[in-house]
Amino acid sequence: MSNIGSYEERCKDSNWSIAKRELSYKEGGRLNIGYYCSDRNCELGLGNKIALIWESFSGEVKKYTFQDLKIYSNSFAHLLKEKLGLKNGERIVIFMDKIPELYFSFLGILKMGGIVVPLFSAFGEESLLTRLQDCKASAVLTTRKLVPRIRKIKDKLPDLRHVVVMSEDEDIPVKEREMAFSFGQAPRIKSFECYPSTPETPSVLHYTSGTTGQPKGALHVHSSILSQYLTTKWVLDLRPDDIYWCTADPGWVTGTSYGIIGPWSLGITQVVLDGGFIPEKWYGLIQKHKITVWYSAPTAIRMLMKAGKEIVKKYDLSSLRHLCSVGEPLNPEAVIWSEEAYGLPFHDTWWQTETGCILISNYPGMEIKPGSMGKPFPGIKAAVLSHDFEPITKENKPGLLALRPPWPSMFRTYWNNPTGYESKFKNGWYITGDRSSIDEDGYFWFMGRDDDVINVAGHLVGPFEIESVLLEHQAVAESAAIGKPDPINMEVVKAFVALKPGFESSDELELEIMNFIRKKLSSIAMPQEIEFVDSLPKTRSGKIMRRVLRAQERGEPIGDISTLEND
Ligand code: PRX
């Protein structure tokens, strides 16, 4: 049993003022995430404690204390504010692999009052362009490896004043509007006056995909730390001596809420692995660094299951104490398998980019029902609604998963898209876009998405974004993208393509189009399959009915097609 109190006890007295008290936050005062994650830990006497154990894929290890975190994030804050003249509220993009600079610069941007826009390092030029144009980014922090992708689109970004290229050496050739930066060579700034942000000052802008239109920027504010702090403490159950590993990339919300803010607001040591998935590497990492708490995703767990139990026996994983998962439905077999293989079950947690923190979870100590997402975080009201947005009281009846706002880490708007933001609220509920049911014991069961968004290994991909790029290919006349069920990745992208006259379908063309998407968007958005068709099912008003294609693909009933044009 954990030291955090039972779920039932917590439900009686939970409120966010507990986080305020524990973080010594005084109402009306300054609240800066950058300060809380670094300087405050030093003030509490944790300056010499290891904050970050970083390991490269080749096995090189670097360790940084909270004092280092403070100084290096100060260096970045100083660079951005004093040298580059960037102001609070400007959007500053981080486009890097999971290198130490990513973590230092994230805190540095927040310290100087900027809005951090983390972008996944696998993004291609088109994915970058739509996001950078939408937020009118003033600066991009990147690396020598990734800067060529920014150079390709720089001319289309008049608001982009600075591209900072991380390098061991500041003396490398750079182009117009670029500068090289080495945190090893930069002046060590011992103290930096943090921007006096208040709870409502914007902090992080995370892009996420919806059914329609281009990705939307979910804007968070500095008070999100209150939710991230308390959920990290109570759900991930982090304790002062833990060595914590979150496998997520900060290009996605798990990697910032629980890969930066949550653990460091609690002064916890965390491990970062810069590299992809190899079972031996992952188990070796747990063994080497004696990891105690591990936060991962169902796709990774399924891949570990595929690698088998024999390999588990080659490693000493006895340091592990608590395991959690997020991003996709965690299948019951995975929970049972992890109990057999590691002696510990994975605890499923549910949340979204928009919610900023875990809202439904298998709370430590609570009986796990394998396959269920668990129960709402103490103090959070969640419900399943009918299509007229009224709570369904009948047990086990599926409906729209909805939450009663507010909580501190709730997003405050979609950047440049207030209408899209408003459309997410009905009858005082925030409509999540997921379908769920609630059982007789109050456990929530995920039933699927209520929209066309595709979930590839825990990463949301918008069909519109893929279809727009498909149309840029010279051979494509019309297209539709859907999620096709996949035993490992949950879903993969499948595209239906009608060709322009003069083009013939072929394996070569399929491959060419797949690579076209991979390069322009990312490997996640790349269709794993392309079906060439003569035409696509459309409504009479000309809207492509992905629903029909999806049902056909899954062998499910097609439903009402009375509005279909070509029936
Ligand atoms: O559909 C749900 C799925 O991922 C969506 C949120 O994706 P994103 O905003 O990228 O954030 C991912 C990490 C927080 C949800 O609407 N999802 C997330 N967690 C679960 C889940 N689906 C089923 N079970 C989960 N535990």
Side-chain angles (χ1 to χ4, degrees), residues 13 79 149 183 209 234 240 247 254 302 313 407 463 482 509:
D13 71 349
L79 165 82
R149 277 184 241 164
F183 78 88
S209 298
W234 289 2
T247 58
T254 309
R302 286 190 290 269
K313 292 186 191 142
W407 55 91
I482 62 159
L509 184 60

Side-chain angles (χ1 to χ4, degrees), residues 207-209 252-255 258 295 298 325-330 347-358 360 362 371-373 401 430 432-435 445-451 453 455 458-461 490:
Y207 277 88
T208 183
S209 298
W252 310 97
V253 74
T254 309
Y258 296 103
Y295 196 20
S325 159
V326 66
E328 321 147 49
L330 182 63
H347 292 67
D348 194 10
T349 69
W350 177 97
W351 56 294
Q352 302 181 307
T353 305
E354 286 85 344
T355 73
C357 78
I358 297 168
I360 300 176
N362 288 272
S372 160
M373 304 188 283
L401 177 61
Y430 164 68
T432 65
D434 285 353
R435 295 176 61 73
W445 296 78
F446 180 80
M447 314 295 295
R449 296 278 314 183
D450 192 49
D451 56 20
V453 172
N455 189 330
H459 305 115
L460 300 191
V461 186
M490 177 172 170

Side-chain angles (χ1 to χ4, degrees), residues 181-197:
F181 181 77
S182 153
F183 78 88
Q185 288 178 359
R188 290 170 69 85
I189 310 289
K190 293 228 166 58
S191 96
F192 178 87
E193 179 69 28
C194 284
Y195 178 74
S197 39

Side-chain angles (χ1 to χ4, degrees), residues 8 329-337 339 345-349 360-375 395-396 437-446:
E8 288 71 24
L330 182 63
N331 33 323
E333 306 79 52
V335 179
I336 294 159
W337 188 87
E339 241 174 331
F346 267 95
H347 292 67
D348 194 10
T349 69
I360 300 176
S361 71
N362 288 272
Y363 198 87
M366 177 197 274
E367 184 204 340
I368 293 182
K369 291 195 187 189
S372 160
M373 304 188 283
K375 295 187 185 185
E395 289 155 9
N396 300 312
S437 65
I438 310 174
D439 74 10
E440 55 290 355
D441 298 320
Y443 281 71
F444 284 67
W445 296 78
F446 180 80

Side-chain angles (χ1 to χ4, degrees), residues 13-255:
D13 71 349
S14 175
N15 65 67
W16 303 110
S17 63
I18 299 174
K20 286 185 191 162
R21 197 172 57 239
E22 293 188 9
L23 289 169
S24 318
Y25 173 69
K26 303 253 175 336
E27 212 61 61
R30 297 176 178 190
L31 182 59
N32 187 300
I33 295 174
Y35 160 79
Y36 270 98
C37 290
S38 56
D39 300 36
R40 180 171 180 267
N41 289 314
C42 298
E43 289 164 16
L44 294 175
L46 299 177
N48 292 326
K49 183 176 176 178
I50 300 292
L52 173 64
I53 302 173
W54 176 85
E55 183 159 335
S56 74
F57 206 57
S58 61
E60 182 195 3
V61 176
K62 290 184 182 169
K63 295 186 181 179
Y64 301 92
T65 62
F66 278 104
Q67 178 69 13
D68 294 331
L69 208 58
K70 172 182 165 180
I71 288 182
Y72 293 138
S73 57
N74 283 350
S75 300
F76 273 101
H78 177 83
L79 165 82
L80 300 169
K81 184 175 173 215
E82 308 300 341
K83 283 206 171 162
L84 302 183
L86 289 157
K87 301 266 177 320
N88 63 291
E90 293 202 69
R91 275 75 57 215
I92 303 173
V93 170
I94 300 181
F95 180 51
M96 297 183 211
D97 290 328
K98 285 193 271 178
I99 55 175
E101 286 91 329
L102 186 162
Y103 297 84
F104 306 146
S105 60
F106 183 91
L107 300 183
I109 295 169
L110 295 173
K111 280 184 166 180
M112 54 73 64
I115 303 177
V116 188
V117 188
L119 295 182
F120 187 40
S121 60
F123 278 161
E125 60 202 79
E126 197 87 18
S127 293
L128 291 168
L129 185 64
T130 45
R131 290 160 176 84
L132 288 168
Q133 276 178 333
D134 183 62
C135 73
K136 291 196 166 44
S138 306
V140 175
L141 314 183
T142 187
T143 58
R144 291 178 79 174
K145 180 178 132 193
L146 297 174
V147 72
R149 277 184 241 164
I150 302 293
R151 284 180 184 152
K152 273 197 186 153
I153 55 172
K154 224 160 70 174
D155 288 348
K156 296 184 190 154
L157 297 165
D159 298 292
L160 183 64
R161 306 202 297 278
H162 305 284
V163 177
V164 182
V165 186
M166 302 302 140
S167 163
E168 299 264 292
D169 182 357
E170 289 185 355
D171 214 12
I172 54 161
V174 286
K175 308 210 162 163
E176 197 208 332
R177 289 189 268 163
E178 292 178 4
M179 70 167 286
F181 181 77
S182 153
F183 78 88
Q185 288 178 359
R188 290 170 69 85
I189 310 289
K190 293 228 166 58
S191 96
F192 178 87
E193 179 69 28
C194 284
Y195 178 74
S197 39
T198 67
E200 288 304 309
T201 303
S203 55
V204 182
L205 183 66
H206 259 300
Y207 277 88
T208 183
S209 298
T211 288
T212 52
Q214 292 293 354
K216 300 182 288 263
L219 183 68
H220 289 280
V221 294
H222 279 264
S223 68
S224 74
I225 193 172
L226 301 172
S227 304
Q228 289 146 350
Y229 169 87
L230 209 59
T231 50
T232 303
K233 186 168 176 186
W234 289 2
V235 179
L236 302 184
D237 192 14
L238 288 188
R239 305 171 194 176
D241 292 334
D242 273 320
I243 307 286
Y244 164 69
W245 181 32
C246 170
T247 58
D249 188 298
W252 310 97
V253 74
T254 309

